[in-house]
C-alpha cells in the first residue's frame, strides 16, 4: 500500500513581460481545459516531481489489479469533486508508471477508483491518496 498527499492548488505564472503575475490555481478540469498547452505541460511536470519526491522511498512495484482511493479536503464548497480528482488521477498515474511503481493504468490493471469528499480545510486544501494492490479477481456485476 502506498499513501501520499498532494495539493489541489498550484502557483502558476500568468501574463507576459511587465504584466506577469503569480496566481494560485485550482488543479481541475475547468482550468485544465483552458490552459495553454505549455502551462498544462508545466503542471504535469510539477505534479510528477511532487509524486517522485514524496515516493522516492518506495521500492515496491504493484503488480496486477490496483485500487486508488482519494479523500478530498476542499477550501471552497463550490468545488466539484471529480473536476479535481480526474486531473490529479491522470498526473498521478502517469508519474507512477514513469517510476515503474505500477505497470500500467489501463483497464486491466487500474480496476477501481474511490473518490470522496473528506471535509473542509481552508488552511490546507489537499487530496490524500492511497494506492493498493488488490488480491481479488475482478467480478462482473452485469
Amino acid at each position: 500500500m502506498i499513501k501520499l498527499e498532494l495539493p489541489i492548488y498550484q502557483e502558476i505564472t500568468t501574463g507576459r513581460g511587465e504584466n506577469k503575475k503569480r496566481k494560485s490555481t485550482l488543479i481541475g478540469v475547468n482550468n485544465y481545459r483552458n490552459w495553454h498547452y505549455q502551462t498544462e505541460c508545466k503542471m504535469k511536470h510539477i505534479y510528477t516531481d511532487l509524486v517522485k519526491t514524496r515516493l522516492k522511498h518506495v521500492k515496491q512495484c504493484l503488480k496486477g489489479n490496483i485500487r486508488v482511493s482519494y479523500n478530498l479536503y476542499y477550501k471552497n464548497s463550490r468545488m466539484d469533486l471529480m473536476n479535481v480528482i480526474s486531473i490529479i488521477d491522470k498526473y498521478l498515474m502517469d508519474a507512477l508508471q514513469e517510476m515503474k511503481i505500477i505497470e500500467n493504468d489501463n483497464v486491466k490493471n487500474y480496476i477501481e477508483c474511490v473518490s470522496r469528499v473528506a471535509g473542509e480545510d481552508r488552511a490546507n486544501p489537499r487530496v490524500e491518496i492511497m494506492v493498493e494492490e488488490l488480491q481479488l479477481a475482478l467480478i462482473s456485476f452485469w
Side-chain angles (χ1 to χ4, degrees):
M1 180 182 344
I2 297 168
K3 293 183 179 184
L4 76 149
E5 182 180 299
L6 292 174
I8 58 173
Y9 287 89
Q10 194 57 242
E11 292 279 324
I12 63 170
T13 303
T14 61
R16 296 179 188 185
E18 294 176 10
N19 295 327
K20 277 189 177 181
K21 297 184 241 180
R22 292 202 49 83
K23 177 180 164 185
S24 181
T25 302
L26 177 67
I27 304 304
V29 172
N30 294 337
N31 289 321
Y32 179 90
R33 70 175 182 225
N34 294 323
W35 286 333
H36 187 276
Y37 73 92
Q38 290 175 333
T39 302
E40 193 283 321
C41 188
K42 282 182 198 173
M43 284 299 191
K44 185 173 180 179
H45 284 294
I46 288 168
Y47 274 82
T48 298
D49 289 346
L50 278 171
V51 171
K52 285 180 175 181
T53 299
R54 293 175 184 187
L55 296 181
K56 65 184 172 193
H57 64 283
V58 174
K59 303 293 183 218
Q60 71 190 86
C61 180
L62 302 177
K63 302 276 185 196
N65 298 334
I66 62 167
R67 169 192 313 149
V68 182
S69 301
Y70 295 97
N71 287 325
L72 177 72
Y73 290 87
Y74 61 89
K75 178 180 181 178
N76 181 328
S77 63
R78 294 181 315 221
M79 184 177 296
D80 181 321
L81 173 67
M82 292 313 296
N83 278 352
V84 174
I85 298 303
S86 61
I87 302 303
I88 297 289
D89 183 69
K90 177 63 179 153
Y91 291 160
L92 174 67
M93 290 298 109
D94 289 350
L96 292 178
Q97 283 184 95
E98 189 175 314
M99 295 174 70
K100 300 197 184 323
I101 291 175
I102 63 171
E103 291 180 44
N104 202 310
D105 65 346
N106 63 24
V107 296
K108 290 183 178 183
N109 298 103
Y110 185 9
I111 65 166
E112 188 175 344
C113 177
V114 179
S115 303
R116 67 184 276 274
V117 176
E120 179 180 22
D121 189 342
R122 291 182 177 271
N124 183 23
R126 67 195 179 281
V127 63
E128 293 177 349
I129 305 164
M130 183 171 54
V131 183
E132 57 191 321
E133 190 172 1
L134 297 175
Q135 301 302 323
L136 306 172
L138 181 61
I139 299 171
S140 175
F141 291 101
W142 307 108

